[in-house]
Amino acid sequence: MIFSMSMSFDWIPSPLTSVSSPHSSKLAGRLWLEANLPLSTEETADLIEKGLLTRVPALESNWWGRRCRRCGNTTERLIVPWPCGCGQTCHYCRSCIEMGRISSCTSFLLWTGADPDWHQHVDACAWTGQLTPFQQQGADRIVDTVENQGRLLVWAVCGAGKTEMLFPGLERALALGRRICLATPRSDVVRELKPRLQQAFPHVDIAALYGGSDDVDDGAQFIIATTHQLLKYARAFDMMIIDEVDAFPYHSDPKLHFAAARSLKRHASLIYLTATPRFSLKASSYLKKLPTVFVPERYHGHPLPVPRFLAAFDTKASFPKNQLPKTFNDWLHQKKNEKRRVIVFVPTIKMAETLAAILDGAVYVHSEDAERKEKVQQFRDKEISLLITTTILERGVTFPSIDVAVIDAGHLVFDEAALVQIAGRAGRSAADPYGDVVFFHSGKSSAMVRAREAIQDMNRRARKEKR
């Protein structure tokens, strides 16, 4: 699913006054609930009186029904009545309740003063590395998209160095005084990107936003955020990058597409990044409806590791006995002798817990693990050598010098895109580009076969285009 930059948001008021204000950078581009405004009651009333803040009903009501203006939901069963604190029976939206309850008596406050003047940074990028020819081709297309405020799909293999490819385009946007958002579905990716981008752009105010983050958007020019955080924004960004655009939950959640479209200014550049585009993106690319640049080679020039398939028909019978499948046990023993660090992907939280209980020194993480940030950092810092994970670490994170195993690789949770991304965790270091990837299975799935073919096709394309 992709969204149109021309999607209508007529209910968002244009600036009603050209009056400048020190509040503009802090308040512009947000859907503010009055309780969340970083202002006193007197300051809020004064800005409303001056026309710098305008009230907009949170729920739109028309002849065809109701629409939530925060998430775009129109499903009747998700906009339901309740005895509201205002003393009336109001309707509220259940689709975006995790961002706080909004009802038919709720209003958003939107900044309608003059647009903020963002700083025009000169030579903002401190990164001194060298892009490969493939990376430079991608970077040039990104810069062109920024300058022309267009759209672009960057279809780049796992480990291509997409972040570094962005640097010239980000630098150009900052030089033009534009506000930037890099959005991604996973909070782990936000946490990894913040220090890398802060190091590359040391004099730019960057805020990293995700559930539970310490950062707040106090008028930062550069936002790194999970796609859920975009539910707070409206007409905020001149440049939007959606990283891992095919990842869950973004690709299958209409409200996140709605929020991303609303977050863009009327004239803005939009860049999609992915190694594994879904059908809609592929179709738009093949039909020439979405400009595309393909980067088929990793930054270090070595091919992607091609997964091996190893049968492990005793998988389901082994774990209840606190035993490992024989082929997996043999492989793991070999890796231990070779002093290799290993990440093991499993389809369920229960299997992660079971496997960690069997293996001495193993640590497991999953989406509900309150300590997953600390555990992932321990693995990155080489304090542990065996990490067991569900698909939460399938993409967007980099660990040097590791081998990868997938247990029960034929499970439905491991679709083609997930398996390609998982295989892409290995061999990412230039010093160790030949990581081992093994899919342990109880019967090969079509997703496993397609994933291996996709990786082989990428390697063939890289060889062909280098000639």
Side-chain angles (χ1 to χ4, degrees), residues 233-407:
Y233 289 89
R235 299 294 189 216
F237 302 110
D238 304 283
M239 178 184 184
M240 172 78 74
I241 303 155
I242 303 182
D243 190 17
E244 306 293 356
V245 67
D246 64 298
F248 177 85
Y250 180 82
H251 81 89
S252 59
D253 193 337
K255 73 173 178 283
L256 300 181
H257 292 255
F258 177 89
R262 189 192 56 221
S263 299
L264 284 170
K265 292 184 179 179
R266 287 179 174 83
H267 301 288
S269 50
L270 172 62
I271 297 164
Y272 298 112
L273 303 179
T274 181
T276 49
R278 302 280 174 170
F279 176 79
S280 59
L281 279 176
K282 286 182 179 179
S284 295
S285 175
Y286 290 143
L287 294 173
K288 309 298 183 184
K289 293 182 178 180
L290 179 62
T292 303
V293 60
F294 190 85
V295 184
E297 184 182 70
R298 290 184 151 184
Y299 76 96
H300 50 53
H302 294 278
L304 295 160
V306 178
R308 297 188 291 130
F309 296 172
L310 288 181
F313 296 110
D314 57 340
T315 297
K316 290 183 179 179
S318 298
F319 289 125
K321 301 176 185 177
N322 287 327
Q323 297 176 352
L324 298 176
K326 185 179 184 307
T327 51
F328 173 67
N329 186 49
D330 292 344
W331 179 83
L332 203 58
H333 185 71
Q334 177 187 348
K335 297 304 167 184
K336 186 176 181 179
N337 289 339
E338 295 172 354
K339 297 183 179 180
R340 296 286 294 176
R341 298 170 64 242
V342 171
I343 183 167
V344 180
F345 287 84
V346 295
T348 65
I349 295 175
K350 182 179 179 180
M351 187 179 289
E353 294 171 342
T354 302
L355 191 57
I358 298 172
L359 292 168
D360 290 336
V363 172
Y364 70 92
V365 294
H366 53 78
S367 60
E368 300 172 13
D369 186 353
E371 299 179 354
R372 83 183 197 202
K373 177 182 176 182
E374 292 75 19
K375 291 176 181 178
V376 169
Q377 190 60 48
Q378 286 179 321
F379 189 66
R380 183 174 285 114
D381 294 340
K382 301 182 180 180
E383 295 174 12
I384 56 177
S385 58
L386 178 56
L387 182 66
I388 302 163
T389 179
T390 57
T391 56
I392 60 163
L393 296 183
E394 74 181 31
R395 60 179 75 221
V397 291
T398 298
F399 306 109
S401 301
I402 63 168
D403 293 328
V404 175
V406 182
I407 302 295

Side-chain angles (χ1 to χ4, degrees), residues 175-237:
L176 293 170
R178 294 179 181 171
R179 196 181 193 197
I180 302 164
C181 179
L182 197 167
T184 180
R186 305 287 178 88
S187 59
D188 302 273
V189 181
V190 176
R191 286 191 286 266
E192 176 156 309
L193 285 173
K194 170 70 183 292
R196 293 176 64 187
L197 289 166
Q198 193 69 81
Q199 184 178 25
F201 297 91
H203 304 297
V204 178
D205 186 11
I206 301 177
L209 307 179
Y210 54 90
S213 65
D214 295 328
D215 288 8
V216 294
D217 178 7
D218 199 21
Q221 189 169 354
F222 191 169
I223 298 293
I224 311 168
T226 57
T227 47
H228 272 87
Q229 294 295 316
L230 299 180
L231 290 163
K232 301 175 181 177
Y233 289 89
R235 299 294 189 216
F237 302 110

Side-chain angles (χ1 to χ4, degrees), residues 153-190:
L153 168 62
V154 180
W155 186 344
V157 298
C158 298
K162 293 190 291 292
T163 303
E164 289 75 17
M165 267 187 282
L166 289 172
F167 289 168
L170 293 172
E171 184 173 48
R172 182 59 180 150
L174 291 166
L176 293 170
R178 294 179 181 171
R179 196 181 193 197
I180 302 164
C181 179
L182 197 167
T184 180
R186 305 287 178 88
S187 59
D188 302 273
V189 181
V190 176

Side-chain angles (χ1 to χ4, degrees), residues 9 11-13 26-38 53-59 68-72 96 99-100 102 106-111 179 217 228-237 255 258-263:
F9 296 98
W11 54 270
I12 300 176
K26 182 183 293 187
L27 301 183
R30 290 285 297 273
L31 293 177
W32 289 105
L33 294 171
E34 193 159 352
N36 297 335
L37 269 170
L53 282 174
T54 299
R55 292 187 186 277
V56 175
L59 292 185
C68 175
R69 283 175 165 159
R70 180 164 64 185
C71 71
C96 55
M99 307 300 290
I102 56 171
T106 305
S107 291
F108 291 124
L109 286 169
L110 281 77
W111 178 258
R179 196 181 193 197
D217 178 7
H228 272 87
Q229 294 295 316
L230 299 180
L231 290 163
K232 301 175 181 177
Y233 289 89
R235 299 294 189 216
F237 302 110
K255 73 173 178 283
F258 177 89
R262 189 192 56 221
S263 299

Side-chain angles (χ1 to χ4, degrees), residues 22-49:
H23 295 294
S24 62
S25 61
K26 182 183 293 187
L27 301 183
R30 290 285 297 273
L31 293 177
W32 289 105
L33 294 171
E34 193 159 352
N36 297 335
L37 269 170
L39 303 171
S40 67
T41 303
E42 293 75 15
E43 288 175 311
T44 300
D46 181 59
L47 292 176
I48 292 173
E49 183 179 350

